[in-house]
Amino acid sequence: MKKLLANFFFILFISVILVLSIRGIEGNPTSNTVNLEKWKDEGPFELSPERGRFALTLSIIENKSVEFSTSIAQFATPDLGLKNGKFVSLFAPLLSFLIIPGYWLGSIWGFAQVGVYATISIFALLNIILIRKISLKLGSHPVAANIAAALFLFGTPAFAYAVSLYQHHVSTFLLLLSVLLLHGSRSWLKLFLVWFLCSLSIPLDYPNLFMMLPIISVAIWQTVIFTKSQDKIHVGIRPVIFFAISGVVAPLVFFFWFNAASYGNPFTLISSLSQVKALTPQGKLIENTEKSDEVSTTRTRENRSTVGFFNSRLFLRGLGVLVVSPDRGFIFFAPIVLLGILGGIVLYRRRTSELPILLAVIGFNISLYSMWGDPWGGWAFGGRYLIPTFAIVSIFLSIALTRFRNNIFFMIIFLLVATYSIAVNTLGAITSNRNPPQVETVELEKLSGKHEPYTWERNINFLNANKSKSFFYNTFAYRWMNAWTYYQYITISIVVIIGLMLAFLSSKPLKHN
């Protein structure tokens, strides 16, 4: 009963922090109002990936169509597609469908946009539960599993993307659930679900096709039979594979249906579409890019296809951006993940059978986006592309905490690094993701005539202006405190709870087998 209550209060605490941090404002955005400034740059839909995905949701709800009306198309720019004279989405479609229930439920109370963003927070909470579950199966102490799961959310850029409209937490959920299903004995039903999840990840985010390759490889391996007779080894395939692999059918049918409805062909690639970067108020294309204040027109998306956007020659540059750059590197935004390396070493020494697949996921994630043409992820807070890696490393972190929980030096260092990581990422969560990459600041400074920060210094400036994008703050808490105080209350609350759990964990003696 005590463990059940402890887990309940842990999940409750996580949920409360998410509720306090979800970005948004009152109101139900419609095609008639969504282009008001309060919804866009200074509002919750501050960046084009959020606008592009919500535009499809709005079109489905209002127009019962995947083609955009003029007002919705204007909202979706600069990431708007043009096919056969019709405005269409340039993003993978699944997330736009997943957030429809959140829109409907939120609209009942006049908070449709908040309901949409809360959908992502629910997936973030599910990721916490999955990280904890996998950690326990790999031998973590329950308290260590809780600490590591909480630090995945609050100690990495995952926090900023758990309270805004991005696909990363849903992709991470599919990946973690697949890893959990592959643990232990594997029935045909488990393999069916793994294939289903892998297939479902593609219409969610096209690069997931590569991210899921380690999972797919293990799923295939589980259907291979090796038998030895005399001096020969025979290789066979279990009939179960034909049942298991049928899990890919439903997601692919949905994907092909969407392509046919949007682009006129189920096999159309996004690289064949034209990108509309700006429209006139009347819905006309803006030509002569260089002469337009909109700095936009249409162009073929030859570099935006999933495969065409990778370049192995960019690997070292991209790796530097993701690891050590001050604008995106996790060394600056989430150094707590470095301590997870110790847990990986512990699992290696134990010869843990799940370690290779976990390392493969990390390797694919980092390698994939190191070769990505835009490793910065556009304007963003921290390295959003590495959220799946942060989730896996958090599992390692739980093992490190379990192993070194009686080492006072380790625990002190852990608490200090965790405090820094929490402080930085809470800063991003309740302010904004609109941080430019360093490479763009030179041009920005020419336009603005002032210094343009590109690290979390920009988020500090946001708070200094007494601004926050937290729905709870802007609706209620602003009456009693300024934005800085609100940030401090949330940060201190997280650090205190983590500190208390660390103190409890360190009081438990290490058991030797």
Side-chain angles (χ1 to χ4, degrees):
M1 179 61 89
K2 288 183 179 179
K3 289 183 179 180
L4 189 62
L5 283 174
N7 292 335
F8 170 77
F9 283 112
F10 172 71
I11 296 300
L12 180 62
F13 169 72
I14 300 292
S15 301
V16 168
I17 297 297
L18 286 171
V19 168
L20 295 176
S21 307
I22 290 174
R23 298 176 188 170
I25 57 176
E26 294 183 69
N28 298 337
T30 67
S31 58
N32 294 325
T33 63
V34 77
N35 283 295
L36 296 176
E37 193 58 34
K38 71 173 187 176
W39 291 113
K40 299 176 77 172
D41 291 354
E42 297 304 317
F45 299 107
E46 58 183 3
L47 293 168
S48 60
E50 295 170 293
R51 294 198 295 270
R53 289 184 168 90
F54 184 73
L56 178 57
T57 301
L58 201 55
S59 184
I60 294 168
I61 291 172
E62 288 197 4
N63 304 326
K64 307 296 187 292
S65 174
V66 295
E67 297 171 3
F68 296 167
S69 64
T70 299
S71 60
I72 294 177
Q74 289 169 334
F75 176 71
T77 57
D79 284 330
L80 174 67
L82 183 67
K83 185 69 174 180
N84 299 326
K86 299 176 181 179
F87 297 123
V88 292
S89 174
L90 286 180
F91 291 96
L94 182 58
L95 186 65
S96 299
F97 284 83
L98 290 177
I99 60 178
I100 290 175
Y103 183 96
W104 281 338
L105 289 174
S107 64
I108 296 173
W109 293 280
F111 304 132
Q113 174 270 313
V114 178
V116 165
Y117 280 43
T119 305
I120 306 302
S121 295
I122 291 171
F123 277 99
L125 185 62
L126 292 174
N127 286 334
I128 292 285
I129 296 171
L130 288 173
I131 289 171
R132 185 183 185 278
K133 186 76 171 177
I134 296 171
S135 297
L136 292 175
K137 287 185 175 294
L138 296 185
S140 169
H141 188 282
V143 177
N146 286 348
I147 294 170
L151 285 174
F152 156 70
L153 185 56
F154 301 137
T156 76
F159 196 3
Y161 298 97
V163 295
S164 52
L165 184 56
Y166 284 81
Q167 79 283 5
H168 304 297
H169 275 283
V170 186
S171 293
T172 302
F173 169 77
L174 298 179
L175 193 152
L176 290 174
L177 185 55
S178 297
V179 169
L180 184 61
L181 288 169
L182 289 175
H183 178 82
S185 60
R186 301 179 181 105
S187 64
W188 75 268
L189 180 59
K190 280 188 175 182
L191 291 175
F192 173 89
L193 291 174
V194 168
W195 280 103
F196 174 79
L197 294 172
C198 290
S199 180
L200 196 65
S201 71
I202 298 172
L204 176 67
D205 193 22
Y206 301 131
N208 284 341
L209 173 65
F210 301 97
M211 286 286 297
M212 285 292 195
L213 283 179
I215 305 293
I216 294 172
S217 299
V218 173
I220 293 175
W221 184 256
Q222 293 305 311
T223 62
V224 177
I225 305 173
F226 294 94
T227 56
K228 185 176 181 181
S229 61
Q230 297 180 351
D231 296 330
K232 295 181 180 180
I233 296 177
H234 300 276
V235 180
I237 298 178
R238 297 176 183 175
V240 70
I241 190 173
F242 300 106
F243 296 100
I245 206 169
S246 65
V248 307
V249 174
L252 289 183
V253 167
F254 163 77
F255 184 42
F256 293 145
W257 165 82
F258 175 81
N259 280 0
S262 296
Y263 317 132
N265 188 318
F267 303 105
T268 295
L269 300 176
I270 58 173
S271 57
S272 66
L273 306 179
S274 294
Q275 181 181 9
V276 180
K277 300 189 73 177
L279 295 171
T280 66
Q282 294 75 34
K284 303 295 184 181
L285 303 184
I286 294 178
E287 307 293 344
N288 300 322
T289 306
E290 292 77 14
K291 296 180 181 180
S292 171
D293 291 336
E294 301 286 346
V295 196
S296 319
T297 185
T298 61
R299 64 179 173 84
T300 302
R301 306 179 79 239
E302 68 278 1
N303 293 324
R304 296 291 295 274
S305 66
T306 302
V307 177
F309 214 39
F310 297 123
N311 188 338
S312 59
R313 295 180 181 180
L314 301 176
F315 180 83
L316 291 179
R317 182 203 69 174
L319 185 63
V321 168
L322 296 173
V323 178
V324 298
S325 70
D327 52 349
R328 298 293 183 267
F330 68 77
I331 296 263
F332 290 93
F333 283 84
I336 190 64
V337 301
L338 291 173
L339 297 179
I341 295 173
L342 297 175
I345 294 172
V346 172
L347 291 176
Y348 173 76
R349 289 178 175 175
R350 292 179 185 171
R351 299 294 189 267
T352 304
S353 59
E354 286 80 9
L355 182 60
I357 189 172
L358 296 177
L359 291 177
V361 169
I362 293 174
F364 268 83
N365 188 199
I366 294 176
S367 298
L368 184 72
Y369 287 105
S370 292
M371 293 186 291
W372 192 245
D374 176 22
W376 299 274
W379 286 43
F381 180 85
R384 64 187 179 95
Y385 290 142
L386 294 190
I387 289 176
T389 288
F390 298 151
I392 299 297
V393 174
S394 295
I395 297 169
F396 296 166
L397 203 60
S398 72
I399 302 300
L401 277 171
T402 301
R403 174 64 181 81
F404 300 106
R405 63 180 182 266
N406 297 136
N407 186 315
I408 299 300
F409 177 75
F410 172 81
M411 295 299 273
I412 291 174
I413 294 296
F414 186 95
L415 180 58
L416 291 174
V417 177
T419 300
Y420 169 86
S421 298
I422 291 166
V424 167
N425 290 287
T426 304
L427 189 65
I430 70 162
T431 58
S432 170
N433 293 340
R434 296 190 77 223
N435 290 5
Q438 184 178 4
V439 294
E440 290 189 20
T441 55
V442 174
E443 292 301 320
L444 282 175
E445 288 171 351
K446 289 179 181 178
L447 293 172
S448 66
K450 62 180 181 179
H451 169 64
E452 292 287 349
Y454 51 84
T455 67
W456 42 263
E457 176 192 351
R458 197 176 187 92
N459 302 89
I460 290 178
N461 292 344
F462 202 89
L463 281 184
N464 284 337
N466 196 32
K467 293 194 294 184
S468 170
K469 293 201 173 184
S470 160
F471 169 75
F472 189 86
Y473 175 78
N474 290 322
T475 307
F476 306 106
Y478 78 94
R479 299 185 180 98
W480 308 296
M481 65 189 77
N482 61 30
W484 261 112
T485 304
Y486 189 73
Y487 159 75
Q488 290 167 353
Y489 279 152
I490 293 178
T491 302
I492 292 171
S493 298
I494 298 171
V495 171
V496 167
I497 294 298
I498 294 292
L500 289 174
M501 288 195 292
L502 284 171
F504 179 83
L505 179 65
S506 62
S507 69
K508 300 298 179 182
L510 186 65
K511 295 180 181 179
H512 297 280
N513 295 325

